[in-house]
């Protein structure tokens, strides 16, 4: 949102404009308009235009909460001036992900004497700086920080510890084995832990996850109501989180109502964790639950846990069967109107009566999904991705038809094979003589260079009668949609080498292509769209429809669309981008993607674009085109490209971008590197967590966490 006051020169100006005079609006309307302007602009620029705006810009409704977390233009001088002008008026300050600000910037936060809530996740801060700052913030009750290597709790002053003793909400991101400031927080009610510890140091030494149990302060967890832990891959992360859990297993907080652990891969249950879960089953009633798959699989845990008014469940990657889901979670169809978010990603058996003797590709039991839809009628976020959910030929029982009853959905993630019409899936998918096999073969010329702008009446009728078209038409207020192939895996690694080959798409998904993508254009309020492994994309014509109709689209992620030998949808993509005026994040993952002059010229129409990520095995780029794009698109602060060019080409381009644009864009983060280079994992570890987690790494984000977990 851009706001300016071109007519306002001074309060005494008598110039009349042909339109409406903005200053004639009521204060309430002006305050609402001003609420869309970044606080730094309000305080440092807008309030200097006239006396009326000088007063309104300092209204408590605008200065009470200051959000800098995505204000990429803010620098240390602006922060200093902002704190000097309105520091005493700020009660909530969010600087999460301001990785570009020097650590000395944190010193100015001490001016905010009345701070109640402070988020410094992703900011550079030492133990001594943290101590000095917290010593002055006596009213602080909510804190988010990173714990980096070198953190030393012994450097925290007594005044700092006194402040921490009053903190009731703490979010810690751990980059080193540590308890951080948890031992000082004796009044915790909400504890959020993000474990990002690597198994090896930069020097190559193995890290140990051992900590002194005595430092964890067992009694201090007794007021805990929410416990959340999210683990990045790695053995050390598991070792450290076990030490936190050991404290809880000794004495489970009686007021605990949300217990969530998100752990990738295998995270084995131990005697201590089993005791904790047994104690929870006896003593607490939960509203939110997420556990590692090994803790649920094959156990009767869900049968014993008690729930109050649950709002969030995540059984991601569990082997939970549909029978257990219905009987143990919603008690045979119990009214669960309170449930707003449900994550069943990777639960391959969750829509089948039993998991024994069932193949993952077998048809779902529609009665299970129907029970779920009827019982959880107020769902706003639903994730069914990373599984095969094939509907039978029964009329009216298709997965899309049942989901259309969930009128309150705001975000939805589905596997590609779940959205196809049953009749179409048994037919042979349309073919073109010039198409190439779905393999990572050498570059092949493909005859299709254009796409149809107007479909015939017969084709339109066929599209609009499909179950997926009807589903999109019924979910008019959907804001986030993910359609991801059930066997898709990204080539972008986390802590491991880049994956060289992807599994072939599901047979049932072979017919999903341009017409299904066109159906998405009915979502007028769509803000985030992810499409991955849609094999029957022939021209990408549906993308143009989305660009024209979905004018609120802010995030777009496309991966492995159509055949793998060439980007057959390039022409349509470029046409689409010309209409995406609100697009801020674009992620493209496609083998043989050519990031050339035509592509970047089309991308330059996305005037709001801030972050770009391209992942392409054997992909190419034109350095001059990239430089021209960066010069034209002044809002872009993140450019990540992992392609097939040589290391020399990549390094030279990266250095040129940084040298040319870093001074004007303090938040600029550029990584251009060969995708299959052996040092890629070392490069990845230096990417700011905000970018890495939100765009660079591919993952399903629907119902990933409970709604409103933090800010």
């Amino acid at each position: 949102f851009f706001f300016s006051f071109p007519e306002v020169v001074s309060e005494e100006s008598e110039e009349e404009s042909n339109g409406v005079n903005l200053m004639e609006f009521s204060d309430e309307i002006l305050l609402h308009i001003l609420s869309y302007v970044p606080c730094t602009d309000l305080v440092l620029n807008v309030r200097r235009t006239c006396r009326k705006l000088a007063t309104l810009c300092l209204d408590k409704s605008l200065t009470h909460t200051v959000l800098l977390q995505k204000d990429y233009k803010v620098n240390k001088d602006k922060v200093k001036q902002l704190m000097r002008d309105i520091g005493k008026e700020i009660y909530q300050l969010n600087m999460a992900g301001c990785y570009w600000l020097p650590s000395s910037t944190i010193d100015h936060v001490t001016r905010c004497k009345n701070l109640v809530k402070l988020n410094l996740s992703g900011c550079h801060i030492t133990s001594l700086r943290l101590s000095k700052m917290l010593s002055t913030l006596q009213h602080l009750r909510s804190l988010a920080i990173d714990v980096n290597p070198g953190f030393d709790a012994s450097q925290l002053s007594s005044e700092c510890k006194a402040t921490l003793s009053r903190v009731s909400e703490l979010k810690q991101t751990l980059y080193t084995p540590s308890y951080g400031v948890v031992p000082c927080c004796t009044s915790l009610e909400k504890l959020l832990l993000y474990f990002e510890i690597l198994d090896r140091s930069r020097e190559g030494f193995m890290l140990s996850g051992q900590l002194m149990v005595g430092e964890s302060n067992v009694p201090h967890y007794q007021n805990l109501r929410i416990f959340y832990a999210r683990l990045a891959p790695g053995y050390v992360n598991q070792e450290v989180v076990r030490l936190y859990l050991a404290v809880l297993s000794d004495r489970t907080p009686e007021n605990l109502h949300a217990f969530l652990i998100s752990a990738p891969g295998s995270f084995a249950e131990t005697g201590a964790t089993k005791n904790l879960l047994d104690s929870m089953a006896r003593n607490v009633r939960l509203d939110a639950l997420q556990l590692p798959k090994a803790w649920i699989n094959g156990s009767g845990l869900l049968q014993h846990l008690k729930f109050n008014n649950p709002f969030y469940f995540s059984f991601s990657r569990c082997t939970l069967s549909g029978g257990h889901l219905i009987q143990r979670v919603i008690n045979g169809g119990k009214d669960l109107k309170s449930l707003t978010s449900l994550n069943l990603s990777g639960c391959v058996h969750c829509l089948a009566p039993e998991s024994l003797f069932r193949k993952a590709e077998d048809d779902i039991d529609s009665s299970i999904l129907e029970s779920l839809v009827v019982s959880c009628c107020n769902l706003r976020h639903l994730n069914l991705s990373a599984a095969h959910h094939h509907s039978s030929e029964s009329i009216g029982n298709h997965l899309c038809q049942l989901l259309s009853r969930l009128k309150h959905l705001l975000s939805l993630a589905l596997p590609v094979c779940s959205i196809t019409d049953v009749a179409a899936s048994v037919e042979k998918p349309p073919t073109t003589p010039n198409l190439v096999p779905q393999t990572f073969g050498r570059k092949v010329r493909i005859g299709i260079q254009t796409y149809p702008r107007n479909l015939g009446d017969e084709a339109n009728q066929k599209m609009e009668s499909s179950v997926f078209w009807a589903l999109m038409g019924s979910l008019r207020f959907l804001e986030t949609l993910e359609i991801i192939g059930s066997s898709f895996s990204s080539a972008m690694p986390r802590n491991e080498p880049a994956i060289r080959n992807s599994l072939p798409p599901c047979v049932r998904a072979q017919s999903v292509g341009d017409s299904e993508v066109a159906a998405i254009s009915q979502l007028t309020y769509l803000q985030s769209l992810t499409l991955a492994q849609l094999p029957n994309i022939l021209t990408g014509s549906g993308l143009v429809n989305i660009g024209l109709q979905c004018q609120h689209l802010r995030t777009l992620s496309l991966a492995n669309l159509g055949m793998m030998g060439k980007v057959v949808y390039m022409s349509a993509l470029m046409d689409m981008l010309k209409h995406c005026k609100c697009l801020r994040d674009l992620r493209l993952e496609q083998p043989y993607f050519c990031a050339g002059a035509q592509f970047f010229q089309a991308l330059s129409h996305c005037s709001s674009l801030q972050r770009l990520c391209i992942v392409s095995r054997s992909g190419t780029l034109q350095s001059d085109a990239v430089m021209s794009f960066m010069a034209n698109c002044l809002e872009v602060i993140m450019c990540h490209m992992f392609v097939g060019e040589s290391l020399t080409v990549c390094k030279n381009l990266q250095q040129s971008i940084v040298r040319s644009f870093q001074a004007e864009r303090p938040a600029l983060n550029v990584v251009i590197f060969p995708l299959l280079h052996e040092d890629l994992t070392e490069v990845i570890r230096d990417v700011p967590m905000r970018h890495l987690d939100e765009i660079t790494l591919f993952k399903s984000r629907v119902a990933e966490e409970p709604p409103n977990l933090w800010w």
Side-chain angles (χ1 to χ4, degrees), residues 293-346:
K293 62 180 182 179
W295 299 14
I296 293 180
N297 294 345
S299 72
L301 173 65
L302 293 177
Q303 192 171 356
H304 303 291
L305 286 175
K306 305 180 190 70
F307 301 107
N308 190 22
N309 290 304
F311 61 88
Y312 177 81
F313 283 140
S314 177
F315 302 107
S316 180
R317 298 182 299 278
C318 292
T319 57
L320 188 71
S321 70
H324 289 165
L325 179 66
I326 298 300
Q327 295 300 324
R328 297 180 181 179
V329 179
I330 62 176
N331 296 334
K334 178 185 175 183
D335 184 1
L336 274 184
K337 291 182 179 179
S338 61
L339 195 68
T340 60
S341 189
L342 177 62
N343 189 343
L344 295 172
S345 173

Side-chain angles (χ1 to χ4, degrees), residues 362-375:
D362 289 346
D363 290 347
I364 63 172
D365 185 333
S366 60
S367 65
I368 292 174
L369 181 59
E370 186 169 15
S371 297
L372 194 65
V373 168
V374 171
S375 301

Side-chain angles (χ1 to χ4, degrees), residues 365-659:
D365 185 333
S366 60
S367 65
I368 292 174
L369 181 59
E370 186 169 15
S371 297
L372 194 65
V373 168
V374 171
S375 301
C376 311
C377 57
N378 289 322
L379 275 178
R380 287 175 171 78
H381 314 280
L382 176 62
N383 194 328
L384 292 172
S385 65
H388 295 272
H389 295 316
H390 298 171
S391 298
S392 65
E393 297 183 27
S394 303
I395 298 176
N397 290 325
H398 193 282
L399 179 139
C400 291
Q401 293 171 319
L402 294 173
L403 293 183
S404 64
R405 303 182 190 178
L406 297 174
K407 301 299 183 182
H408 301 287
L409 278 180
L410 296 177
S411 64
L412 176 65
L414 295 174
V416 175
C417 55
S418 72
I419 69 172
T420 183
D421 283 282
V422 178
S425 67
V426 298
E427 298 175 0
K428 186 177 181 180
T431 58
T432 303
N434 294 323
L435 292 183
V436 296
Q438 296 184 32
T439 59
F440 290 127
R442 62 187 180 89
K443 296 181 183 179
V444 179
R445 277 189 173 273
I446 295 181
I448 298 177
Q449 298 295 336
T450 59
Y451 52 89
R453 302 301 182 99
N454 298 307
L455 298 172
D457 292 339
E458 184 178 345
N460 273 324
Q461 291 175 4
K462 185 177 180 181
M463 285 167 48
E464 296 180 13
S465 64
S466 73
V467 290
F468 183 64
W469 187 279
L471 175 63
M472 293 295 94
S474 67
L475 303 178
R476 294 286 182 159
F477 298 103
L478 201 69
E479 297 175 355
T480 299
L481 177 65
E482 297 177 352
I483 306 294
I484 303 174
S486 52
S487 55
F488 173 76
S489 58
S490 174
M492 194 66 216
R494 184 61 168 94
N495 295 326
E496 64 278 351
I499 300 171
R500 292 178 179 269
N501 286 301
S502 179
L503 294 173
C506 170
V507 175
R508 187 74 74 96
Q510 294 291 341
S511 62
V512 177
D514 297 317
S515 60
E516 284 75 17
V517 173
I520 298 171
S521 63
Q522 299 175 87
L523 303 176
T524 308
Y525 299 100
L526 189 67
Q527 296 183 21
S528 178
L529 174 63
T530 298
L531 300 174
Q533 202 181 41
L534 276 65
N536 201 36
I537 295 291
L538 302 179
T539 64
S541 57
L543 294 174
V544 185
N545 293 4
I546 293 174
L548 288 168
Q549 301 299 325
C550 304
Q551 288 295 299
H552 297 282
L553 191 65
R554 297 161 67 96
T555 300
L556 177 63
S557 177
L558 305 177
N560 290 14
L561 302 186
M563 300 299 181
M564 297 296 98
K566 185 179 179 181
V567 189
V568 296
Y569 60 93
M570 178 63 94
S571 180
L573 174 63
M574 291 189 294
D575 203 350
M576 173 195 190
L577 292 175
K578 295 175 183 178
H579 306 290
C580 296
K581 302 302 182 184
C582 293
L583 191 67
R584 294 191 177 184
D585 295 341
L586 175 62
R587 186 185 192 277
L588 296 173
E589 179 170 343
Q590 189 84 26
Y592 302 109
F593 189 88
C594 177
Q598 286 185 317
F599 167 73
F600 282 111
Q601 186 176 2
L603 190 58
S604 297
H605 288 85
C606 302
S607 54
S608 299
L609 192 71
Q610 295 179 334
R611 301 191 291 187
L612 170 66
C613 179
I614 296 177
V615 179
S616 180
R617 181 182 181 271
S618 302
T620 61
L621 55 82
Q622 293 180 15
S623 298
D624 292 344
V626 178
M627 292 297 294
S628 177
F629 160 73
M630 292 296 296
N632 292 331
C633 294
L634 304 180
E635 301 295 319
V636 176
I637 54 87
M638 191 205 93
C639 181
H640 289 180
M641 297 185 187
F642 305 95
V643 292
E645 298 284 5
S646 69
L647 182 61
T648 301
V649 170
C650 292
K651 279 192 172 182
N652 288 342
L653 178 56
Q654 179 174 324
Q655 291 171 359
S656 297
I657 295 175
V658 172
R659 186 168 53 247

Side-chain angles (χ1 to χ4, degrees), residues 5-15 23 48-51 53:
F5 300 88
E7 301 294 335
V8 180
V9 178
S10 68
E11 192 176 46
E12 291 76 20
S13 176
E14 299 293 336
E15 254 183 73
M23 293 299 101
R48 305 186 190 282
T49 56
C50 71
R51 292 179 185 176
L53 289 176

Side-chain angles (χ1 to χ4, degrees), residues 13-28:
S13 176
E14 299 293 336
E15 254 183 73
E16 293 185 2
S17 63
N18 294 328
V20 177
N21 187 344
L22 189 66
M23 293 299 101
E24 292 180 354
F25 289 158
S26 67
D27 288 355
E28 290 76 12

Side-chain angles (χ1 to χ4, degrees), residues 241-242 245-246 249 259 261 267-280 295 301:
V241 79
R242 289 188 195 279
L245 294 174
S249 64
F259 186 77
I261 300 178
F267 186 25
E269 190 178 20
T270 64
T273 55
K274 188 177 186 305
N275 291 338
L276 169 61
L277 297 175
D278 290 342
S279 176
M280 287 171 52
W295 299 14
L301 173 65

